[in-house]
Coordinates of all heavy atoms in Angstrom, one line a residue:
M930 N -38.4 41.0 -19.5 CA -37.3 40.5 -18.8 C -36.7 41.6 -18.0 O -36.2 42.6 -18.4 CB -36.2 39.8 -19.6 CG -35.0 39.4 -18.9 SD -34.0 38.3 -19.9 CE -33.0 39.5 -20.8
A931 N -36.7 41.6 -16.7 CA -36.2 42.6 -15.8 C -34.7 42.4 -15.6 O -34.2 41.4 -15.6 CB -36.9 42.5 -14.5
Y932 N -34.0 43.6 -15.4 CA -32.6 43.6 -15.1 C -32.2 42.7 -13.9 O -31.2 42.1 -13.9 CB -32.1 45.0 -15.0 CG -30.6 45.0 -14.7 CD1 -29.7 44.9 -15.7 CD2 -30.1 45.3 -13.4 CE1 -28.4 44.9 -15.6 CE2 -28.8 45.4 -13.2 CZ -27.9 45.2 -14.2 OH -26.6 45.2 -14.0
S933 N -33.1 42.7 -12.9 CA -32.8 42.0 -11.7 C -32.7 40.5 -11.9 O -32.1 39.8 -11.2 CB -33.7 42.3 -10.6 OG -34.9 41.9 -10.9
S934 N -33.3 40.0 -12.9 CA -33.3 38.5 -13.2 C -32.2 38.1 -14.0 O -31.9 36.9 -14.1 CB -34.6 38.1 -13.7 OG -34.8 38.6 -15.0
L935 N -31.5 39.1 -14.6 CA -30.3 38.8 -15.5 C -29.3 38.0 -14.9 O -28.8 37.0 -15.4 CB -29.9 39.9 -16.2 CG -28.7 39.8 -17.3 CD1 -29.4 39.1 -18.4 CD2 -28.4 41.2 -17.8
P936 N -28.8 38.4 -13.7 CA -27.7 37.6 -13.0 C -28.0 36.2 -12.8 O -27.3 35.2 -13.0 CB -27.4 38.4 -11.8 CG -27.8 39.8 -12.0 CD -29.0 39.7 -12.9
A937 N -29.3 35.9 -12.4 CA -29.7 34.5 -12.1 C -29.7 33.7 -13.5 O -29.4 32.6 -13.5 CB -31.1 34.5 -11.4
M938 N -30.2 34.4 -14.5 CA -30.2 33.7 -15.8 C -28.7 33.4 -16.3 O -28.4 32.3 -16.7 CB -30.8 34.6 -16.9 CG -32.4 34.7 -16.7 SD -33.2 35.7 -18.0 CE -32.7 34.8 -19.4
L939 N -27.9 34.4 -16.0 CA -26.4 34.1 -16.4 C -25.8 33.1 -15.5 O -25.1 32.2 -16.0 CB -25.7 35.5 -16.2 CG -25.9 36.5 -17.4 CD1 -25.0 37.8 -17.0 CD2 -25.5 36.0 -18.6
R940 N -26.1 33.0 -14.2 CA -25.6 31.9 -13.4 C -26.1 30.6 -13.9 O -25.4 29.6 -14.0 CB -26.0 32.1 -11.9 CG -25.2 33.2 -11.2 CD -25.4 33.1 -9.8 NE -26.8 33.5 -9.6 CZ -27.3 34.5 -9.0 NH1 -26.5 35.6 -8.7 NH2 -28.5 34.8 -8.7
G941 N -27.4 30.5 -14.3 CA -28.0 29.3 -14.8 C -27.4 28.9 -16.1 O -27.0 27.7 -16.2
L942 N -27.0 29.8 -17.0 CA -26.4 29.5 -18.2 C -24.9 29.0 -18.0 O -24.5 28.0 -18.5 CB -26.4 30.7 -19.2 CG -25.7 30.6 -20.5 CD1 -26.4 29.5 -21.3 CD2 -25.7 31.9 -21.3
L943 N -24.2 29.7 -17.1 CA -22.9 29.3 -16.7 C -22.8 27.8 -16.1 O -22.1 27.0 -16.5 CB -22.3 30.2 -15.8 CG -20.8 30.1 -15.3 CD1 -19.9 30.0 -16.5 CD2 -20.4 31.0 -14.4
L944 N -23.8 27.7 -15.2 CA -23.8 26.3 -14.7 C -24.1 25.2 -15.6 O -23.5 24.1 -15.6 CB -25.0 26.3 -13.5 CG -25.1 24.9 -12.8 CD1 -23.8 24.6 -12.1 CD2 -26.2 25.0 -11.7
T945 N -25.0 25.5 -16.6 CA -25.3 24.5 -17.7 C -24.1 24.2 -18.5 O -23.8 23.0 -18.9 CB -26.5 25.1 -18.5 OG1 -27.6 25.3 -17.7 CG2 -26.8 24.1 -19.7
L946 N -23.4 25.3 -18.8 CA -22.2 25.1 -19.7 C -21.1 24.5 -18.9 O -20.4 23.5 -19.6 CB -21.6 26.5 -20.1 CG -22.5 27.3 -21.1 CD1 -21.9 28.7 -21.4 CD2 -22.5 26.6 -22.5
L947 N -20.8 24.7 -17.8 CA -19.9 23.9 -16.8 C -20.2 22.4 -16.7 O -19.4 21.6 -16.8 CB -19.8 24.6 -15.6 CG -19.0 25.8 -15.4 CD1 -19.1 26.5 -14.0 CD2 -17.6 25.8 -15.9
C948 N -21.5 22.2 -16.6 CA -21.9 20.8 -16.5 C -21.7 20.0 -17.8 O -21.3 18.9 -17.9 CB -23.3 20.6 -16.1 SG -23.8 21.0 -14.4
A949 N -22.0 20.7 -18.9 CA -21.7 20.1 -20.2 C -20.3 19.8 -20.4 O -19.9 18.8 -21.0 CB -22.4 21.0 -21.2
A950 N -19.5 20.8 -20.1 CA -18.1 20.6 -20.3 C -17.5 19.5 -19.3 O -16.8 18.7 -19.8 CB -17.3 21.9 -19.9
A951 N -18.0 19.4 -18.1 CA -17.6 18.3 -17.3 C -18.1 17.0 -17.8 O -17.3 16.0 -17.7 CB -18.1 18.6 -15.8
A952 N -19.2 16.8 -18.3 CA -19.7 15.6 -18.9 C -18.9 15.2 -20.1 O -18.5 14.0 -20.2 CB -21.1 15.8 -19.3
G953 N -18.3 16.1 -20.8 CA -17.4 15.7 -21.9 C -16.1 15.2 -21.6 O -15.5 14.4 -22.2
C954 N -15.7 15.6 -20.4 CA -14.4 15.1 -19.8 C -14.4 13.9 -19.0 O -13.4 13.4 -18.6 CB -13.7 16.3 -19.2 SG -13.4 17.7 -20.3
A955 N -15.5 13.6 -18.6 CA -15.8 12.6 -17.5 C -15.4 11.1 -17.9 O -15.0 10.4 -17.0 CB -17.2 12.7 -17.0
G956 N -15.6 10.8 -19.2 CA -15.5 9.4 -19.6 C -14.0 9.0 -19.8 O -13.1 9.8 -20.0
A957 N -13.7 7.7 -19.9 CA -12.5 7.1 -20.3 C -12.1 7.5 -21.6 O -12.8 7.7 -22.6 CB -12.5 5.7 -20.3
P958 N -10.8 8.0 -21.9 CA -10.2 8.5 -23.1 C -9.9 7.4 -24.1 O -8.9 7.3 -24.6 CB -9.0 9.2 -22.7 CG -8.5 8.4 -21.5 CD -9.7 8.0 -20.8
A959 N -11.0 6.7 -24.5 CA -10.9 5.6 -25.4 C -10.4 6.1 -26.8 O -9.4 5.4 -27.4 CB -12.2 4.8 -25.6
Q960 N -10.8 7.2 -27.4 CA -10.5 7.6 -28.6 C -9.0 8.1 -28.6 O -8.3 7.8 -29.6 CB -11.4 8.8 -29.1 CG -11.0 9.2 -30.6 CD -11.4 8.1 -31.6 OE1 -12.4 7.4 -31.5 NE2 -10.4 7.8 -32.4
E961 N -8.6 8.8 -27.6 CA -7.2 9.3 -27.5 C -6.3 8.2 -27.3 O -5.2 8.2 -28.0 CB -7.2 10.2 -26.3 CG -7.9 11.5 -26.4 CD -9.3 11.5 -26.1 OE1 -9.9 10.5 -25.7 OE2 -9.9 12.7 -26.0
M962 N -6.7 7.1 -26.6 CA -5.8 6.0 -26.5 C -5.7 5.2 -27.9 O -4.5 4.9 -28.2 CB -6.4 5.0 -25.5 CG -6.5 5.5 -24.1 SD -4.9 5.8 -23.2 CE -4.5 4.2 -22.9
S963 N -6.8 5.1 -28.5 CA -6.7 4.5 -29.9 C -5.9 5.3 -30.9 O -5.1 4.9 -31.7 CB -8.1 4.4 -30.5 OG -8.0 3.8 -31.7
N964 N -6.0 6.8 -30.8 CA -5.2 7.6 -31.7 C -3.8 7.5 -31.5 O -2.9 7.4 -32.4 CB -5.7 8.9 -31.5 CG -7.1 9.3 -32.0 OD1 -7.7 8.5 -32.6 ND2 -7.6 10.5 -31.6
A965 N -3.3 7.3 -30.2 CA -2.0 7.2 -29.8 C -1.5 5.8 -30.4 O -0.3 5.9 -30.9 CB -1.8 7.3 -28.3
R966 N -2.2 4.8 -30.1 CA -1.7 3.6 -30.7 C -1.6 3.5 -32.1 O -0.5 2.9 -32.7 CB -2.7 2.5 -30.2 CG -2.7 2.1 -28.7 CD -3.6 0.9 -28.3 NE -3.7 0.8 -27.0 CZ -4.7 1.2 -26.3 NH1 -5.9 1.7 -26.8 NH2 -4.8 1.1 -24.9
Q967 N -2.5 4.0 -32.8 CA -2.5 4.1 -34.3 C -1.3 4.9 -34.8 O -0.6 4.5 -35.7 CB -3.7 4.6 -34.8 CG -4.9 3.6 -34.8 CD -6.2 4.2 -35.2 OE1 -6.3 5.2 -35.9 NE2 -7.3 3.4 -34.8
A968 N -1.0 6.1 -34.2 CA 0.1 6.9 -34.5 C 1.4 6.2 -34.2 O 2.4 6.3 -35.1 CB 0.0 8.2 -33.7
I969 N 1.5 5.6 -33.2 CA 2.8 4.8 -32.9 C 3.0 3.6 -33.9 O 4.1 3.5 -34.4 CB 2.8 4.3 -31.5 CG1 2.9 5.4 -30.4 CG2 4.0 3.2 -31.2 CD1 2.7 5.0 -29.0
K970 N 1.9 2.9 -34.3 CA 2.0 1.9 -35.3 C 2.4 2.4 -36.6 O 3.3 1.9 -37.3 CB 0.8 1.2 -35.3 CG 0.8 0.0 -36.4 CD -0.5 -0.7 -36.5 CE -0.4 -1.9 -37.5 NZ 0.4 -1.9 -38.6
A971 N 1.8 3.6 -36.9 CA 2.2 4.2 -38.3 C 3.6 4.7 -38.3 O 4.4 4.4 -39.3 CB 1.2 5.4 -38.5
A972 N 4.1 5.2 -37.2 CA 5.5 5.7 -37.1 C 6.4 4.5 -37.2 O 7.4 4.5 -37.9 CB 5.8 6.5 -35.9
R973 N 6.1 3.3 -36.5 CA 6.9 2.1 -36.6 C 6.9 1.6 -38.0 O 8.0 1.3 -38.6 CB 6.4 1.1 -35.7 CG 6.6 1.2 -34.3 CD 6.5 -0.1 -33.5 NE 6.3 0.2 -32.0 CZ 7.1 0.5 -31.2 NH1 8.5 0.7 -31.7 NH2 7.0 0.8 -29.9
D974 N 5.8 1.6 -38.6 CA 5.6 1.0 -40.0 C 6.5 1.9 -41.0 O 6.8 1.3 -42.1 CB 4.2 1.0 -40.4 CG 3.4 0.0 -39.7 OD1 4.0 -0.9 -39.0 OD2 2.2 0.0 -39.8
A975 N 6.6 3.2 -40.7 CA 7.3 4.0 -41.6 C 8.9 4.1 -41.4 O 9.7 4.6 -42.1 CB 6.7 5.5 -41.4
G976 N 9.2 3.2 -40.4 CA 10.6 3.1 -40.0 C 11.2 4.2 -39.0 O 12.4 4.3 -39.0
A977 N 10.3 4.7 -38.2 CA 10.8 5.8 -37.3 C 11.6 5.1 -36.3 O 12.4 5.9 -35.6 CB 9.6 6.4 -36.7
D978 N 11.6 3.9 -36.0 CA 12.4 3.2 -35.0 C 13.8 3.1 -35.5 O 14.8 3.1 -34.6 CB 11.9 1.8 -34.7 CG 11.8 0.9 -35.9 OD1 11.6 1.5 -37.1 OD2 11.7 -0.4 -35.9
Q979 N 14.1 3.4 -36.7 CA 15.6 3.5 -37.2 C 15.9 5.0 -37.3 O 17.1 5.2 -37.0 CB 15.7 2.9 -38.7 CG 15.3 1.5 -38.7 CD 16.2 0.6 -37.8 OE1 17.5 0.8 -37.8 NE2 15.6 -0.4 -37.1
V980 N 15.0 5.9 -37.6 CA 15.4 7.3 -37.8 C 15.2 8.1 -36.5 O 16.1 9.0 -36.3 CB 14.4 7.9 -39.1 CG1 14.7 9.3 -39.3 CG2 14.5 7.1 -40.2
A981 N 14.3 7.9 -35.8 CA 14.0 8.7 -34.6 C 13.6 7.8 -33.4 O 12.4 7.8 -32.9 CB 12.7 9.6 -34.9
P982 N 14.5 6.8 -33.0 CA 14.2 5.9 -32.0 C 13.9 6.5 -30.6 O 13.0 6.0 -29.9 CB 15.4 5.1 -31.9 CG 16.5 5.8 -32.5 CD 15.9 6.7 -33.6
Q983 N 14.6 7.6 -30.3 CA 14.3 8.2 -29.1 C 12.9 8.8 -28.9 O 12.1 8.6 -28.0 CB 15.3 9.4 -28.6 CG 15.1 9.9 -27.3 CD 16.1 10.9 -26.9 OE1 17.2 11.0 -27.6 NE2 15.9 11.7 -25.9
T984 N 12.5 9.5 -30.0 CA 11.1 10.1 -30.1 C 10.1 9.0 -30.1 O 9.0 9.1 -29.4 CB 11.0 10.9 -31.3 OG1 12.1 11.9 -31.3 CG2 9.6 11.7 -31.4
L985 N 10.3 7.9 -30.7 CA 9.4 6.9 -30.7 C 9.3 6.1 -29.4 O 8.1 5.8 -29.0 CB 9.7 5.8 -31.9 CG 8.6 4.8 -32.2 CD1 7.3 5.4 -32.6 CD2 9.2 3.9 -33.2
N986 N 10.4 6.1 -28.8 CA 10.5 5.5 -27.4 C 9.7 6.3 -26.4 O 9.0 5.7 -25.6 CB 11.9 5.2 -27.0 CG 12.5 4.0 -27.7 OD1 11.8 3.1 -28.1 ND2 13.8 4.0 -27.6
E987 N 9.8 7.6 -26.6 CA 9.0 8.5 -25.7 C 7.6 8.4 -25.9 O 6.8 8.4 -25.0 CB 9.5 10.0 -26.0 CG 10.9 10.3 -25.5 CD 11.4 11.7 -25.9 OE1 10.6 12.4 -26.5 OE2 12.6 11.9 -25.7
A988 N 7.2 8.3 -27.2 CA 5.7 8.0 -27.5 C 5.2 6.8 -26.8 O 4.2 6.7 -26.2 CB 5.5 8.1 -29.0
Q989 N 6.0 5.6 -26.9 CA 5.6 4.4 -26.4 C 5.6 4.5 -24.8 O 4.6 4.1 -24.2 CB 6.6 3.3 -26.8 CG 6.3 2.0 -26.2 CD 4.9 1.4 -26.8 OE1 4.7 1.6 -28.0 NE2 4.0 1.0 -25.9
S990 N 6.5 5.3 -24.2 CA 6.5 5.5 -22.8 C 5.3 6.2 -22.3 O 4.6 5.9 -21.3 CB 7.9 6.2 -22.4 OG 7.7 6.5 -21.0
L991 N 4.9 7.3 -23.1 CA 3.8 8.1 -22.8 C 2.5 7.2 -22.9 O 1.6 7.4 -22.0 CB 3.7 9.4 -23.6 CG 4.6 10.5 -23.3 CD1 4.8 11.4 -24.5 CD2 4.2 11.1 -22.1
L992 N 2.5 6.4 -23.9 CA 1.3 5.5 -24.0 C 1.2 4.6 -22.8 O 0.0 4.3 -22.3 CB 1.4 4.7 -25.2 CG 0.2 3.8 -25.4 CD1 -1.2 4.5 -25.5 CD2 0.3 3.0 -26.8
E993 N 2.3 4.1 -22.4 CA 2.3 3.2 -21.2 C 1.8 4.0 -19.9 O 1.1 3.5 -19.1 CB 3.7 2.5 -20.9 CG 4.0 1.6 -22.0 CD 5.5 1.2 -22.0 OE1 6.3 1.5 -21.1 OE2 5.8 0.4 -23.0
Q994 N 2.3 5.3 -19.8 CA 1.8 6.1 -18.7 C 0.3 6.3 -18.9 O -0.5 6.2 -17.7 CB 2.4 7.4 -18.7 CG 3.9 7.5 -18.3 CD 4.5 8.9 -18.4 OE1 3.8 9.9 -18.4 NE2 5.9 9.0 -18.6
A995 N -0.2 6.5 -20.0 CA -1.6 6.7 -20.2 C -2.5 5.4 -19.8 O -3.5 5.5 -19.1 CB -1.9 7.0 -21.6
E996 N -1.9 4.2 -20.1 CA -2.5 3.0 -19.8 C -2.6 2.8 -18.2 O -3.5 2.4 -17.7 CB -1.9 1.8 -20.4 CG -2.1 1.8 -21.9 CD -1.2 0.9 -22.8 OE1 -0.3 0.3 -22.2 OE2 -1.6 0.6 -23.9
A997 N -1.4 3.2 -17.6 CA -1.3 3.1 -16.1 C -2.3 4.0 -15.5 O -3.0 3.7 -14.5 CB 0.1 3.4 -15.7
S998 N -2.4 5.3 -16.0 CA -3.3 6.2 -15.4 C -4.8 5.7 -15.5 O -5.7 5.8 -14.8 CB -3.3 7.5 -16.1 OG -2.1 8.1 -15.8
L999 N -5.1 5.1 -16.7 CA -6.4 4.6 -17.1 C -6.8 3.5 -16.0 O -7.8 3.4 -15.4 CB -6.4 4.0 -18.5 CG -7.8 3.7 -19.1 CD1 -8.7 4.9 -19.1 CD2 -7.6 3.1 -20.5
Q1000 N -5.8 2.6 -15.8 CA -6.0 1.5 -14.8 C -6.3 2.2 -13.4 O -7.1 1.5 -12.7 CB -4.8 0.6 -14.7 CG -4.6 -0.3 -15.9 CD -5.7 -1.1 -16.1 OE1 -6.2 -1.8 -15.2 NE2 -6.1 -1.4 -17.4
K1001 N -5.7 3.2 -13.1 CA -6.1 3.9 -11.7 C -7.3 4.7 -11.8 O -7.7 5.2 -10.7 CB -4.9 4.9 -11.4 CG -3.6 4.0 -11.1 CD -2.6 5.2 -10.8 CE -1.2 4.8 -11.3 NZ -0.2 5.9 -11.1
G1002 N -8.0 4.8 -12.9 CA -9.1 5.7 -13.1 C -8.9 7.1 -13.2 O -9.8 8.0 -13.0
D1003 N -7.6 7.4 -13.4 CA -7.1 8.9 -13.6 C -7.4 9.2 -15.1 O -6.5 9.1 -15.9 CB -5.7 9.0 -13.2 CG -5.3 10.5 -13.4 OD1 -6.1 11.4 -13.8 OD2 -4.0 10.7 -13.3
Y1004 N -8.7 9.4 -15.5 CA -9.0 9.7 -16.9 C -8.4 10.9 -17.4 O -7.8 10.9 -18.7 CB -10.4 9.7 -17.1 CG -11.1 8.4 -16.9 CD1 -12.5 8.4 -16.5 CD2 -10.5 7.2 -16.9 CE1 -13.1 7.2 -16.3 CE2 -11.0 5.9 -16.6 CZ -12.4 6.0 -16.3 OH -13.1 4.8 -16.0
K1005 N -8.2 11.9 -16.7 CA -7.6 13.2 -17.1 C -6.1 12.9 -17.4 O -5.6 13.4 -18.5 CB -7.8 14.3 -16.1 CG -7.3 15.7 -16.5 CD -7.6 16.7 -15.3 CE -7.2 18.0 -15.8 NZ -7.5 19.0 -14.8
G1006 N -5.4 12.2 -16.5 CA -4.0 12.0 -16.7 C -3.8 11.1 -17.9 O -2.9 11.3 -18.7
A1007 N -4.7 10.1 -18.1 CA -4.6 9.2 -19.1 C -4.8 9.9 -20.5 O -4.1 9.7 -21.5 CB -5.7 8.1 -19.0
R1008 N -5.7 10.8 -20.5 CA -6.0 11.6 -21.7 C -4.8 12.5 -22.1 O -4.4 12.4 -23.2 CB -7.4 12.4 -21.6 CG -7.6 13.3 -22.7 CD -8.9 14.0 -22.5 NE -10.1 13.1 -22.8 CZ -10.8 12.6 -21.8 NH1 -10.8 12.9 -20.6 NH2 -11.9 11.8 -22.1
R1009 N -4.3 13.1 -21.1 CA -3.2 14.0 -21.3 C -1.9 13.2 -21.8 O -1.3 13.6 -22.8 CB -2.8 14.7 -20.0 CG -1.8 15.7 -20.2 CD -1.4 16.5 -18.8 NE -1.6 15.7 -17.5 CZ -2.6 15.9 -16.7 NH1 -3.5 16.8 -16.8 NH2 -2.5 15.1 -15.6
S1010 N -1.6 12.1 -21.2 CA -0.6 11.2 -21.7 C -0.8 10.7 -23.1 O 0.2 10.6 -23.9 CB -0.2 10.1 -20.7 OG 0.2 10.6 -19.5
A1011 N -2.0 10.2 -23.4 CA -2.3 9.6 -24.6 C -2.2 10.7 -25.8 O -1.5 10.5 -26.8 CB -3.8 9.0 -24.7
V1012 N -2.6 11.9 -25.6 CA -2.5 12.9 -26.5 C -1.0 13.4 -26.6 O -0.6 13.5 -27.8 CB -3.3 14.2 -26.0 CG1 -3.0 15.5 -26.9 CG2 -4.8 14.0 -26.1
A1013 N -0.3 13.3 -25.6 CA 1.2 13.6 -25.8 C 1.9 12.4 -26.5 O 2.8 12.7 -27.4 CB 1.9 13.8 -24.3
A1014 N 1.5 11.3 -26.3 CA 2.0 10.1 -27.0 C 1.8 10.2 -28.5 O 2.7 9.9 -29.3 CB 1.5 8.7 -26.5
K1015 N 0.5 10.6 -28.8 CA 0.2 10.7 -30.2 C 1.1 11.9 -30.9 O 1.6 11.6 -32.0 CB -1.2 11.1 -30.4 CG -1.7 11.3 -31.9 CD -3.0 11.9 -32.1 CE -3.2 12.1 -33.6 NZ -4.4 12.9 -33.8
G1016 N 1.3 12.9 -30.1 CA 2.1 14.0 -30.6 C 3.6 13.6 -30.9 O 4.2 13.9 -31.9
R1017 N 4.1 12.8 -29.9 CA 5.5 12.3 -30.1 C 5.6 11.3 -31.2 O 6.5 11.4 -31.9 CB 6.0 11.7 -28.8 CG 6.2 12.7 -27.7 CD 7.0 13.8 -28.0 NE 8.5 13.5 -27.9 CZ 9.4 14.2 -28.4 NH1 9.2 15.4 -29.0 NH2 10.7 13.7 -28.3
A1018 N 4.6 10.6 -31.4 CA 4.5 9.5 -32.4 C 4.5 10.2 -33.8 O 5.2 9.9 -34.8 CB 3.4 8.5 -32.4
T1019 N 3.7 11.3 -33.9 CA 3.5 12.1 -35.1 C 5.0 12.7 -35.4 O 5.3 12.8 -36.6 CB 2.5 13.1 -35.0 OG1 1.3 12.4 -34.6 CG2 2.3 14.0 -36.2
E1020 N 5.6 13.3 -34.4 CA 7.0 13.8 -34.7 C 7.9 12.7 -35.2 O 8.7 12.9 -36.1 CB 7.6 14.3 -33.4 CG 6.9 15.6 -32.9 CD 7.4 16.0 -31.6 OE1 8.6 15.8 -31.4 OE2 6.7 16.6 -30.7
A1021 N 7.9 11.6 -34.6 CA 8.6 10.4 -35.2 C 8.3 10.1 -36.6 O 9.2 9.8 -37.4 CB 8.6 9.2 -34.3
L1022 N 7.0 10.0 -36.9 CA 6.5 9.7 -38.3 C 7.1 10.8 -39.2 O 7.6 10.5 -40.3 CB 5.0 9.6 -38.3 CG 4.4 9.4 -39.6 CD1 4.8 8.0 -40.3 CD2 2.8 9.5 -39.5
S1023 N 7.0 12.0 -38.9 CA 7.5 13.1 -39.7 C 9.0 13.0 -40.0 O 9.4 13.4 -41.0 CB 7.2 14.4 -39.0 OG 5.8 14.7 -39.0
A1024 N 9.7 12.5 -39.0 CA 11.2 12.3 -39.1 C 11.5 11.2 -40.2 O 12.4 11.4 -40.9 CB 11.8 12.2 -37.8
A1025 N 10.6 10.2 -40.1 CA 10.9 9.1 -41.0 C 10.4 9.3 -42.4 O 11.0 8.8 -43.3 CB 10.1 7.9 -40.5
Q1026 N 9.5 10.2 -42.6 CA 8.9 10.4 -44.0 C 9.9 10.9 -45.0 O 10.0 10.5 -46.1 CB 7.6 11.2 -43.9 CG 6.4 10.4 -43.3 CD 5.2 11.2 -43.2 OE1 5.2 12.5 -43.0 NE2 4.1 10.6 -43.2
P1027 N 10.7 11.9 -44.6 CA 11.7 12.4 -45.6 C 12.7 11.4 -46.1 O 13.0 11.3 -47.1 CB 12.5 13.6 -44.9 CG 11.5 14.1 -43.8 CD 10.7 12.8 -43.4
V1028 N 13.0 10.5 -45.1 CA 13.8 9.3 -45.4 C 13.2 8.4 -46.4 O 13.8 8.0 -47.4 CB 14.2 8.5 -44.2 CG1 15.1 7.3 -44.5 CG2 15.1 9.4 -43.2
N1029 N 11.9 8.2 -46.2 CA 11.2 7.3 -47.1 C 11.0 8.0 -48.5 O 11.1 7.2 -49.5 CB 9.7 6.9 -46.5 CG 9.9 6.0 -45.4 OD1 10.9 5.3 -45.2 ND2 8.9 6.1 -44.5
R1030 N 10.9 9.3 -48.5 CA 10.8 9.9 -49.8 C 12.1 9.9 -50.6 O 12.1 9.7 -51.8 CB 10.4 11.5 -49.7 CG 8.9 11.6 -49.4 CD 8.5 13.1 -49.4 NE 7.6 13.2 -48.4 CZ 7.7 14.1 -47.4 NH1 8.7 14.9 -47.3 NH2 6.9 14.1 -46.5
K1031 N 13.2 10.0 -49.9 CA 14.5 9.9 -50.6 C 14.7 8.5 -51.2 O 15.3 8.3 -52.3 CB 15.6 10.2 -49.7 CG 15.7 11.7 -49.3 CD 16.8 12.0 -48.2 CE 16.8 13.4 -47.9 NZ 17.7 13.7 -46.8
E1032 N 14.3 7.5 -50.4 CA 14.6 6.1 -50.8 C 13.6 5.8 -52.1 O 14.1 5.0 -53.0 CB 14.2 5.1 -49.7 CG 15.2 5.1 -48.6 CD 14.8 4.2 -47.4 OE1 13.7 3.7 -47.5 OE2 15.6 4.3 -46.4
S1033 N 12.5 6.4 -52.1 CA 11.6 6.0 -53.2 C 11.8 6.9 -54.5 O 11.3 6.6 -55.5 CB 10.2 6.1 -52.8 OG 9.9 7.4 -52.5
G1034 N 12.5 8.0 -54.3 CA 12.9 8.9 -55.4 C 14.1 8.7 -56.0 O 14.7 8.3 -56.7

C-alpha cells in the first residue's frame, strides 16, 4: 500500500461512514415517538399530573410538536421533540415517585 493512495482510502472510508450515519437518521422516528408516548403515560399513571403538572404539560406539548413535525416530513425535528418530550415526562415521573413511596410507606 503506497502512501499516495492513503488519502483516497481515507476519503472512501469517511464517505462510507457519513452515508451510514445519514441512513440511520433518514427514517421516521417511530421508536422515539413511541418512547415519548409511553413515558407520558407512565408519568400520568404515577400521578405526575397532580405533582408536576407543568412538566407533564410540557412533555405533552413537545409530543404534539413532534407529531406536527412528523406530519410535515421534518423527521429530524420530530425526533428532537420526541426525545425532549420523553425527557420531560421522565422528570415528571421522577417527581411523582417520591410521593408514591411516601403514600405506600
Side-chain angles (χ1 to χ4, degrees):
M930 180 168 82
Y932 178 77
S933 63
S934 67
L935 188 60
M938 288 178 63
L939 287 177
R940 282 192 301 252
L942 179 61
L943 182 59
L944 181 60
T945 302
L946 291 174
L947 288 173
C948 288
C954 297
Q960 187 62 53
E961 290 86 348
M962 299 291 286
S963 176
N964 291 347
R966 287 185 190 103
Q967 290 176 11
I969 290 170
K970 182 180 182 325
R973 283 193 203 289
D974 291 348
D978 52 339
Q979 300 298 316
V980 179
Q983 182 175 351
T984 306
L985 190 57
N986 287 338
E987 289 171 8
Q989 184 63 47
S990 177
L991 285 163
L992 179 59
E993 290 167 6
Q994 287 177 21
E996 290 168 346
S998 293
L999 192 60
Q1000 290 295 321
K1001 293 182 214 169
D1003 177 12
Y1004 296 157
K1005 186 176 180 182
R1008 180 173 282 110
R1009 185 175 36 248
S1010 294
V1012 169
K1015 179 186 175 198
R1017 296 303 283 165
T1019 301
E1020 290 176 33
L1022 176 62
S1023 294
Q1026 286 176 336
V1028 172
N1029 289 337
R1030 279 190 223 124
K1031 288 178 186 175
E1032 290 175 358
S1033 64

